[in-house]
Amino acid sequence: MVLALALKAELDGVTELRPSDTADTPFFYTFRVQCTSCRETHPNDVSFSRFDQTEVSGSKGEANFVWRCKNCKREHSASIKAAPTAYQQSDPPKMLTMLEFDCRGLEFTEFKAEGDFEAKGTDTATSFTAIDLTDGEWFDYDEKAGQQVSITGVQWEIRRA
Ligand SMILES: [Zn+2]
């Protein structure tokens, strides 16, 4: 099953919002995860990066995230398909896919936006880093544009791709 993580947010003065996610400084994506065999939800949030590879039992290759469900004892895995797509500013804001996952036997049910995001000034290309979206909003000032910039109304959605 392919799942997509989608974002909708109001961007004012910034665009190209994305997780800071490179091989040197990987982003750790944090989720609530559920077993699709027995519907058990993992007691803790899980996080993994797209640069981590863990072996799947029985020579089934590798995945970014491997989880053995404590309830039904089955092993499940998930992998991020590609680098995240930057979210573009639009008015009104659109729900856009940022990331896609190949999921085997598990489903992500909730995304926790922990980690650093980055964006660019819409007209100035000013680079903003270490953007924290855990509160669902962010405010800063673009010196080049001489105006306040913000990200508000952050909504994450996990859906079937
Ligand atoms: Zn299970």
Side-chain angles (χ1 to χ4, degrees), residues 116-127:
D116 289 345
F117 287 79
E118 57 192 58
K120 284 194 163 48
T122 313
D123 303 320
T124 58
T126 301
S127 166

Side-chain angles (χ1 to χ4, degrees), residues 2-3 8 18 25 31 42 55 68-70 73 79 83 92 98 114 116 126 132 134 137 141 143 146 154:
V2 177
L3 288 183
K8 183 178 176 184
R18 72 177 95 205
T25 56
F31 295 95
H42 197 301
E55 200 140 331
R68 184 172 294 279
C69 174
K70 283 214 164 57
K73 316 289 183 215
S79 283
M98 182 170 272
E114 288 162 16
D116 289 345
T126 301
D132 179 355
T134 47
E137 55 184 23
Y141 191 81
E143 299 281 351
V154 172

Side-chain angles (χ1 to χ4, degrees), residues 77-138:
S77 63
S79 283
I80 295 170
K81 286 168 72 90
T85 305
Y87 183 85
Q88 306 294 336
Q89 189 274 339
S90 72
D91 189 19
K94 291 191 193 83
M95 181 66 75
L96 300 172
T97 293
M98 182 170 272
L99 213 56
E100 284 189 349
F101 311 86
D102 245 325
C103 297
R104 284 157 205 246
L106 63 81
E107 215 171 314
F108 297 120
T109 54
E110 194 188 334
F111 175 65
K112 309 277 176 75
E114 288 162 16
D116 289 345
F117 287 79
E118 57 192 58
K120 284 194 163 48
T122 313
D123 303 320
T124 58
T126 301
S127 166
F128 295 95
T129 56
I131 295 174
D132 179 355
L133 294 179
T134 47
D135 291 336
E137 55 184 23
W138 167 86

